[in-house]
Amino acid sequence: MTKAPFTVVRREDLDPICPHCTQPLTEVYYKAKGAGWFVLPPRNVVYFCPHCRKVLGMGQSKMA
Ligand SMILES: [Zn+2]
C-alpha cells in the first residue's frame, strides 16, 4: 500500500454532485445484473444518478 499524497477528510455534511446534471447526490441508484445483461459479465454493478439516470460508475465484484 502506498500512502495517499492528500488528506482525506470525512464530510458527511456535504453531498456529492452529479457530474452530468450537477444535482446533489443524496443517494445513488445501482443496478446489479447477472444473466440478461448482454454487455457485462454477471456480478457487475452499475451505479447511476437518480436525477438524470446517467451512469456514474461501475463496480466489479472481486470475488468473480
Ligand atoms: Zn445526474
Side-chain angles (χ1 to χ4, degrees):
M1 283 296 286
T2 55
K3 197 175 190 299
F6 54 85
T7 304
V8 178
V9 181
R10 180 173 179 169
R11 292 295 298 269
E12 298 298 336
D13 57 320
L14 295 177
D15 293 320
I17 300 291
C18 174
H20 304 292
C21 65
T22 66
Q23 293 285 318
L25 292 170
T26 55
E27 59 186 0
V28 175
Y29 291 175
Y30 77 92
K31 204 167 185 173
K33 283 230 173 182
W37 188 267
F38 66 96
V39 175
L40 302 171
R43 292 173 180 267
N44 274 23
V45 180
V46 178
Y47 298 94
F48 59 99
C49 173
H51 304 289
C52 66
R53 284 189 282 156
K54 287 185 178 173
V55 174
L56 300 171
M58 298 198 188
Q60 251 186 328
S61 173
K62 301 292 187 288
M63 309 294 284

